[in-house]
Amino acid sequence: MTDPDTTPGRAAPGQVAATAPVLVVNAGSSSLKYRLVEPSAGHTLATGLIERIGEGHPRARHTGSDCTTERELDCPDHESAFQVALAAFAEHGPPLRAADLLAVGHRVVHGGSRFAAPVLVDDDVIAQIEALVPLALLHNPGNLAGLRAARAAFGGIPQVAVFDTAFHQTLPPAAYTYAVPRDWRDRLHVRRYGFHGTSHAYVSRRVAALLGRPPQATNAVVLHLGNGASACAVEGGRSIDTSMGLSPLGGLVMGTRPGDLDPAIAPYLSRHGIPVLAYDEALNHDSGLRALAGSNDFREVMRLVEAGDADARLAVEVAAYRIAKYVGGYAVALGRLDALAFTGGIGEHSAALRADVVGRLAVLGLELDTAANAAASGESRISTPASAAQVWVVPTDEELEIARHAVAVVRAGHPSA
């Protein structure tokens, strides 16, 4: 396995020389999201999304050279979805031939402890990802469907798997170990894995650049806040702790997921007739902001807050309080906090939540520039000069990060590529 951030003589993900484009694929259980990227300059050549694959009325959207198109179609599986995507490239550009691609890069959610870095995909890698399905029942099956369909569609083009969990393989044992029976840890691999690693890696490196420091000299907390949300403590470019755990359920309050819970809740509910499958379904789809405010759309939650809805106000307070607690804990873990970064759809666009979180962190010496926060667009510093640590809004770019990892992995095996 290769690590493009650390291998001598190889371009790091942020320093890729000019090369052919990479097709980045994020396949869910019923969706196929793709982006054609020119990695060296970070240019997006085309994007697309095919939704409701195998369900009623699948819909495809493609933004190419000349226009954006949307249409309904018959798309029973991921293999047929790839054919729809290829047809969209042919009709609306840019022209896409397999021979023009350097690689296809895939987001894979769970790599367990087996994958500490991106890898070239072969039959053995497919089998290992399949073996990890019990750790990510909602995610890895869709990722596998996308991998298999892309291999069928693009023949001999290198396929590279980039794992959400890989960035967190640097967690020390004290951070990833749960205090549970040894058999659970050794045989069933129960431990903290963490997710959103591709985003945390990209944003932490951008923050270091914005501070004018090398990543190795920068300590930051990154908050990836979207429908899924996680915090990550990054010390010298390496993840040393993160809020999600064995699964993406732990940590912060999310759109439909609760974050941290008392483990006794499960047996308590079981004794009251709620079976484990119903419990699992509720934690994944009916908890978080949806349970507290009636909606998992943060924009709607904030509209309810502005209208005086008490439940929505409580939901935001619970979410902000949990975020601030994690930042405080991670400041202790890091020993020195140079920067706090907000990213993800909510982190990038909700000035109100950012203000709430930073306001709770005055004990750390953080001080918000209210005007800068309200006006933030793109990469924006939102802290005052007097703030003990800089606070930034940094849009994430997971697809570009995946594309650059794919280039580094392919070049490791084929230096002339």
Side-chain angles (χ1 to χ4, degrees):
M1 292 180 287
T2 56
D3 185 345
D5 282 315
T6 58
T7 301
R10 193 183 323 152
Q15 303 170 327
V16 176
T19 187
V22 172
L23 182 65
V24 178
V25 172
N26 184 352
S29 59
S30 61
S31 66
L32 180 70
K33 181 180 179 182
Y34 59 87
R35 177 173 159 192
L36 185 64
V37 180
E38 198 289 295
S40 58
H43 292 153
T44 295
L45 306 176
T47 63
L49 173 64
I50 302 170
E51 300 178 283
R52 302 197 292 269
I53 297 169
E55 301 175 1
H57 307 293
R59 176 172 290 276
R61 182 173 69 249
H62 178 89
T63 300
S65 304
D66 52 8
C67 66
T68 296
T69 62
E70 288 196 38
R71 62 192 179 98
E72 290 191 357
L73 66 158
D74 180 21
C75 196
D77 53 35
H78 285 76
E79 195 162 332
S80 61
F82 264 102
Q83 296 308 313
V84 169
L86 292 175
F89 276 106
E91 186 174 355
H92 301 291
L96 177 64
R97 298 182 306 116
D100 295 330
L101 291 175
L102 181 75
V104 180
H106 296 264
R107 180 197 181 207
V108 179
V109 168
H110 215 308
S113 56
R114 305 182 187 190
F115 296 103
V119 293
L120 281 171
V121 176
D122 56 20
D123 291 341
D124 180 60
V125 168
I126 292 283
Q128 291 187 66
I129 295 172
E130 193 159 27
L132 293 167
V133 164
L135 290 173
L137 289 170
L138 298 178
H139 298 92
N140 274 30
N143 301 156
L144 281 164
L147 278 164
R148 292 184 172 117
R151 295 179 83 193
F154 294 104
I157 299 301
Q159 311 277 323
V160 178
V162 180
F163 300 89
D164 274 11
T165 49
F167 184 61
H168 304 301
Q169 287 295 302
T170 53
L171 264 61
Y176 72 68
T177 301
Y178 289 131
V180 297
R182 180 176 293 277
D183 179 61
W184 298 7
R185 290 179 277 133
D186 292 348
R187 183 173 62 87
L188 300 176
H189 313 293
V190 173
R191 53 159 287 178
R192 181 180 305 279
Y193 291 100
F195 301 89
H196 292 142
T198 306
S199 177
H200 289 305
Y202 176 86
V203 172
S204 61
R205 198 169 56 249
R206 283 300 306 148
V207 165
L210 291 165
L211 267 61
R213 301 183 180 192
Q216 296 79 4
T218 305
N219 286 1
V221 173
V222 178
L223 299 173
H224 180 109
L225 307 178
N227 194 52
S230 65
C232 183
V234 184
E235 180 182 57
R238 296 162 62 87
S239 172
I240 64 161
D241 206 348
T242 190
S243 58
M244 287 179 168
L246 175 78
S247 77
L249 282 170
L252 308 181
V253 175
M254 298 169 243
T256 64
R257 287 171 268 174
D260 292 338
L261 291 174
D262 184 335
I265 291 174
Y268 170 79
L269 294 177
S270 178
R271 289 192 295 271
H272 286 76
I274 298 177
V276 65
L277 291 180
Y279 173 74
D280 187 62
E281 177 75 12
L283 293 189
N284 279 286
H285 301 295
D286 298 313
S287 298
L289 295 176
R290 177 176 287 170
L292 295 176
S295 175
N296 64 304
D297 185 330
F298 196 77
R299 294 164 297 184
E300 175 61 20
V301 173
M302 292 307 298
R303 282 194 288 269
L304 291 170
V305 170
E306 292 164 7
D309 187 287
D311 288 340
R313 178 65 258 172
L314 176 62
V316 174
E317 289 178 355
V318 170
Y321 176 72
R322 184 80 58 84
I323 294 166
K325 279 209 308 181
Y326 264 94
V327 175
Y330 287 169
V332 172
L334 291 166
R336 183 193 79 246
L337 182 63
D338 300 317
L340 173 66
F342 289 86
T343 193
I346 298 171
E348 294 168 29
H349 297 112
S350 179
L353 182 66
R354 295 194 300 260
D356 195 339
V357 170
V358 177
R360 295 170 186 269
L361 296 169
V363 68
L364 299 180
L366 271 60
E367 186 174 292
L368 189 73
D369 182 325
T370 304
N373 183 46
S377 178
E379 292 183 343
S380 306
R381 180 174 173 176
I382 60 171
S383 55
T384 69
S387 182
Q390 293 187 22
V391 184
W392 284 84
V393 177
V394 180
T396 192
D397 197 335
E398 294 169 277
E399 289 84 5
L400 179 58
E401 183 80 359
I402 290 170
R404 289 178 168 171
H405 275 296
V407 171
V409 169
V410 170
R411 284 187 170 160
H414 308 279
S416 61

